[in-house]
Amino acid sequence: MTETAAIVRRLLSILSEEERLYVELKSLLQEEHARMVARDADAIEQIVAQKDALASEGRLLEECRSKVMKELGRAFGLAESETTLSRLCAVLGEEGAELRASHGRIVALVAAVRELLDANANFAGEALFRVQSTLRLLGRLLPDQPTYERNPTPTSMQPVARPGRLVQQAV
């Protein structure tokens, strides 16, 4: 096995792990959406912890991939700025078929994960907007002055009736 073939094998191994990670993340994001719809806060909290762990693992894999890609790029005389998976696949020619296939699968998985992330963020944003709107509505229904005070003054014990309020106290 040539030196470049050994580096390609290491790169394929890392890409395989990245692919596994993205498949796991995709599944987790689908589950997160289902838990958000079901309003299952405990499950969402667990999913967030799992996503954090996957993100940490993903950063490590990305660092490893980057180092191995640079090593392969140097073996072919490529500048660091030219060392991309696409460029490496092109330089490898027919020998890069497996690398090209792995790269294609990862690109598709990354697109699916981004789509799910956006969908979940939009869903969460809409839910937050509804909660905030409800709180604003409820805030307008509340009296302007506190209902109970520690040391009430005689005037603060009098009911407050204002025109336009949905809830009025009997005077």
Side-chain angles (χ1 to χ4, degrees):
M1 180 180 288
T2 66
E3 181 185 342
T4 57
I7 298 170
V8 168
R9 285 282 140 229
R10 287 190 356 242
L11 183 54
L12 283 168
S13 175
I14 293 167
L15 291 174
S16 175
E17 283 301 307
E18 281 189 296
E19 190 175 336
R20 176 204 49 82
L21 183 131
Y22 281 116
V23 166
E24 228 176 288
L25 185 56
K26 181 181 165 197
S27 175
L28 204 53
L29 289 168
Q30 290 167 332
E31 180 64 21
E32 180 182 47
H33 185 78
R35 297 299 102 215
M36 284 193 297
V37 169
R39 294 183 179 101
D40 187 346
D42 292 334
I44 293 170
E45 188 176 344
Q46 290 172 352
I47 289 170
V48 167
Q50 290 173 316
K51 285 185 346 186
D52 285 344
L54 285 177
S56 295
E57 184 181 351
R59 282 188 291 278
L60 290 174
L61 286 170
E62 186 175 348
E63 287 174 22
C64 290
R65 177 179 36 85
S66 178
K67 285 179 184 177
V68 173
M69 284 175 49
K70 287 175 186 174
E71 185 180 348
L72 187 58
R74 280 192 302 272
F76 286 113
L78 298 176
E80 261 188 47
S81 62
E82 295 178 320
T83 308
T84 63
L85 276 175
S86 298
R87 180 77 172 125
L88 290 171
C89 289
V91 169
L92 284 165
E94 289 299 317
E95 294 174 6
E98 194 176 352
L99 192 59
R100 231 180 327 282
S102 180
H103 178 244
R105 288 190 304 271
I106 288 176
V107 167
L109 282 167
V110 167
V113 164
R114 277 194 185 129
E115 210 173 285
L116 288 167
L117 281 169
D118 290 345
N120 286 358
N122 287 336
F123 184 84
E126 290 170 9
L128 179 61
F129 176 77
R130 286 191 300 270
V131 168
Q132 289 171 335
S133 296
T134 301
L135 289 174
R136 279 192 297 277
L137 176 65
L138 289 173
R140 286 184 288 220
L141 298 177
L142 296 175
D144 292 334
Q145 295 180 351
T147 306
Y148 299 103
E149 293 180 11
R150 275 198 167 155
N151 299 317
T153 59
T155 58
S156 68
M157 292 177 19
Q158 310 239 341
V160 178
R162 297 185 186 216
R165 296 297 248 177
L166 294 175
V167 179
Q168 292 184 355
Q169 297 176 345
V171 180

XYZ file of all heavy atoms in Angstrom, residues 21-22 24-34 36 47-48 50-52 54-55 108-126:
308
model
N -22.012 10.124 12.641
C -22.408 11.225 13.518
C -23.575 12.004 12.919
O -24.544 12.314 13.609
C -21.209 12.139 13.753
C -21.472 13.282 14.718
C -20.366 13.354 15.753
C -21.562 14.594 13.962
N -23.506 12.319 11.634
C -24.577 13.087 10.999
C -25.881 12.284 10.924
O -26.969 12.849 11.060
C -24.167 13.587 9.615
C -23.278 14.807 9.686
C -21.971 14.759 9.229
C -23.742 16.003 10.223
C -21.148 15.872 9.298
C -22.936 17.110 10.305
C -21.640 17.048 9.844
O -20.825 18.157 9.922
N -26.780 10.077 13.144
C -27.265 10.136 14.522
C -27.896 11.497 14.820
O -28.959 11.581 15.440
C -26.078 9.913 15.474
C -26.330 8.894 16.564
C -25.076 8.676 17.394
O -24.130 8.053 16.893
O -25.072 9.142 18.549
N -27.227 12.567 14.392
C -27.738 13.912 14.623
C -29.058 14.133 13.897
O -29.991 14.731 14.451
C -26.702 14.946 14.176
C -27.028 16.413 14.462
C -27.301 16.648 15.938
C -25.888 17.300 13.977
N -29.162 13.628 12.690
C -30.405 13.749 11.923
C -31.554 13.064 12.668
O -32.639 13.636 12.826
C -30.210 13.118 10.534
C -31.415 13.190 9.638
C -31.117 12.508 8.307
C -32.410 12.251 7.573
N -32.242 11.276 6.511
N -31.310 11.870 13.153
C -32.320 11.135 13.910
C -32.697 11.885 15.189
O -33.872 11.980 15.554
C -31.788 9.741 14.241
O -32.676 9.048 15.057
N -31.700 12.432 15.850
C -31.924 13.178 17.093
C -32.751 14.431 16.835
O -33.644 14.775 17.620
C -30.571 13.538 17.695
C -30.467 13.799 19.169
C -31.043 12.664 19.991
C -29.012 14.023 19.550
N -32.487 15.119 15.740
C -33.245 16.322 15.405
C -34.700 15.988 15.066
O -35.612 16.750 15.390
C -32.579 17.065 14.246
C -31.263 17.752 14.605
C -30.538 18.204 13.343
C -31.497 18.914 15.547
N -34.911 14.857 14.423
C -36.286 14.429 14.134
C -37.016 14.131 15.445
O -38.179 14.497 15.614
C -36.283 13.205 13.221
C -35.838 13.525 11.813
C -35.539 12.299 10.976
O -35.166 11.250 11.479
N -35.700 12.439 9.655
N -36.325 13.482 16.369
C -36.911 13.190 17.676
C -37.166 14.484 18.448
O -38.183 14.628 19.111
C -35.984 12.263 18.476
C -36.502 11.889 19.844
C -37.791 11.072 19.819
O -38.110 10.448 18.791
O -38.495 11.065 20.856
N -36.248 15.424 18.356
C -36.419 16.712 19.032
C -37.688 17.406 18.547
O -38.451 17.947 19.332
C -35.205 17.600 18.784
C -35.296 18.957 19.454
C -34.095 19.827 19.147
O -33.700 19.930 17.966
O -33.555 20.412 20.108
N -37.905 17.385 17.235
C -39.108 18.021 16.693
C -40.366 17.352 17.256
O -41.299 18.037 17.679
C -39.108 17.953 15.166
C -40.254 18.699 14.564
N -40.261 20.065 14.439
C -41.442 18.265 14.087
C -41.416 20.443 13.910
N -42.141 19.363 13.680
N -40.361 16.025 17.282
C -41.518 15.297 17.822
C -41.739 15.648 19.290
O -42.883 15.813 19.735
C -41.313 13.788 17.663
N -40.834 18.465 20.760
C -41.310 19.850 20.848
C -42.803 19.912 20.566
O -43.533 20.627 21.245
C -40.543 20.753 19.868
C -39.159 21.098 20.342
S -38.347 22.438 19.413
C -38.220 21.761 17.776
N -32.327 15.495 24.907
C -31.894 15.598 23.512
C -30.852 16.695 23.354
O -29.858 16.527 22.640
C -33.113 15.815 22.580
C -33.935 14.526 22.503
C -32.679 16.272 21.190
C -35.279 14.673 21.826
N -31.053 17.816 24.038
C -30.083 18.913 23.971
C -28.726 18.451 24.495
O -27.688 18.757 23.906
C -30.592 20.153 24.739
C -29.492 21.184 24.945
C -31.771 20.783 24.003
N -27.614 15.379 24.438
C -27.066 14.465 23.431
C -26.517 15.249 22.234
O -25.469 14.891 21.679
C -28.143 13.483 22.961
C -28.531 12.467 24.016
C -29.725 11.635 23.572
O -30.703 12.142 23.041
N -29.630 10.327 23.790
N -27.210 16.315 21.839
C -26.727 17.141 20.729
C -25.407 17.803 21.095
O -24.510 17.902 20.260
C -27.766 18.203 20.353
C -28.938 17.650 19.592
C -29.932 18.676 19.084
C -29.882 20.050 19.610
N -30.965 20.926 19.152
N -25.272 18.261 22.335
C -24.020 18.871 22.779
C -22.874 17.865 22.702
O -21.774 18.198 22.268
C -24.146 19.407 24.207
C -24.955 20.688 24.284
O -25.165 21.333 23.239
O -25.382 21.038 25.402
N -22.710 15.231 20.736
C -22.416 14.994 19.318
C -21.636 16.165 18.716
O -20.745 15.963 17.891
C -23.705 14.761 18.528
C -24.374 13.406 18.707
C -25.675 13.346 17.909
C -23.449 12.275 18.288
N -21.975 17.382 19.133
C -21.257 18.556 18.618
C -19.788 18.507 19.032
O -18.897 18.807 18.227
C -21.917 19.834 19.116
N -24.918 15.424 1.500
C -26.376 15.232 1.575
C -26.847 15.221 3.032
O -27.882 15.822 3.360
C -26.771 13.932 0.884
N -26.103 14.554 3.902
C -26.478 14.504 5.324
C -26.394 15.884 5.970
O -27.264 16.257 6.765
C -25.595 13.511 6.085
C -25.947 12.052 5.908
C -24.831 11.152 6.437
C -27.264 11.734 6.606
N -25.365 16.641 5.636
C -25.220 17.990 6.191
C -26.406 18.848 5.756
O -26.974 19.602 6.561
C -23.873 18.624 5.776
C -23.844 20.122 6.061
C -22.727 17.933 6.495
N -26.819 18.726 4.512
C -27.973 19.491 4.017
C -29.242 19.094 4.776
O -30.034 19.963 5.173
C -28.148 19.271 2.518
N -29.434 17.804 4.998
C -30.620 17.335 5.733
C -30.590 17.824 7.175
O -31.624 18.252 7.720
C -30.690 15.803 5.694
N -29.422 17.798 7.796
C -29.294 18.259 9.186
C -29.578 19.757 9.266
O -30.292 20.210 10.173
C -27.895 17.905 9.754
C -27.578 18.686 11.021
C -27.800 16.412 10.027
N -29.051 20.525 8.320
C -29.319 21.978 8.313
C -30.809 22.255 8.168
O -31.355 23.137 8.829
C -28.566 22.641 7.171
C -27.150 22.945 7.497
C -26.536 23.902 6.478
N -25.138 24.063 6.786
C -24.156 23.925 5.914
N -24.424 23.638 4.659
N -22.915 24.090 6.277
N -31.455 21.503 7.301
C -32.891 21.671 7.088
C -33.665 21.392 8.381
O -34.573 22.140 8.747
C -33.339 20.710 5.982
C -34.510 21.188 5.178
C -34.765 20.262 3.998
O -34.004 20.327 3.016
O -35.733 19.483 4.088
N -33.306 20.304 9.058
C -33.970 19.964 10.320
C -33.675 21.003 11.404
O -34.569 21.362 12.185
C -33.542 18.572 10.795
C -34.101 17.403 9.997
C -33.368 16.111 10.332
C -35.594 17.254 10.261
N -32.439 21.485 11.466
C -32.097 22.529 12.435
C -32.940 23.779 12.200
O -33.475 24.364 13.139
C -30.611 22.884 12.346
C -29.637 21.948 13.029
C -28.205 22.276 12.618
C -29.782 21.995 14.536
N -33.055 24.175 10.933
C -33.862 25.350 10.597
C -35.328 25.129 10.951
O -35.983 26.016 11.506
C -33.731 25.691 9.109
C -32.367 26.244 8.744
O -31.607 26.628 9.658
O -32.046 26.268 7.539
N -35.848 23.951 10.634
C -37.256 23.647 10.930
C -37.504 23.678 12.438
O -38.501 24.251 12.902
C -37.634 22.279 10.366
N -36.596 23.096 13.217
C -36.762 23.091 14.669
C -36.647 24.506 15.237
O -37.389 24.881 16.142
C -35.752 22.153 15.330
C -36.097 20.699 15.125
O -37.111 20.359 14.517
N -35.243 19.813 15.606
N -35.708 25.286 14.714
C -35.550 26.663 15.180
C -36.796 27.481 14.857
O -37.265 28.267 15.685
C -34.310 27.291 14.545
N -37.352 27.301 13.662
C -38.578 28.019 13.293
C -39.739 27.604 14.184
O -40.511 28.447 14.638
C -38.933 27.766 11.823
C -38.008 28.494 10.885
O -37.392 29.491 11.240
N -37.880 27.988 9.670
N -39.861 26.303 14.441
C -40.944 25.816 15.298
C -40.801 26.398 16.702
O -41.767 26.887 17.285
C -40.939 24.289 15.357
C -42.081 23.715 16.141
C -43.317 23.530 15.549
C -41.926 23.378 17.480
C -44.393 23.018 16.273
C -42.988 22.863 18.208
C -44.220 22.681 17.613
N -39.588 26.363 17.244
C -39.351 26.901 18.591
C -39.604 28.405 18.614
O -40.185 28.928 19.563
C -37.932 26.590 19.039
N -39.198 29.098 17.554
C -39.428 30.544 17.477
C -40.904 30.890 17.442
O -41.350 31.834 18.101
N -41.672 30.121 16.682
C -43.118 30.351 16.621
C -43.770 30.082 17.977
O -44.641 30.829 18.421
C -43.753 29.471 15.547
C -43.404 29.884 14.139
C -43.850 28.869 13.095
O -44.583 27.909 13.438
O -43.448 29.035 11.933
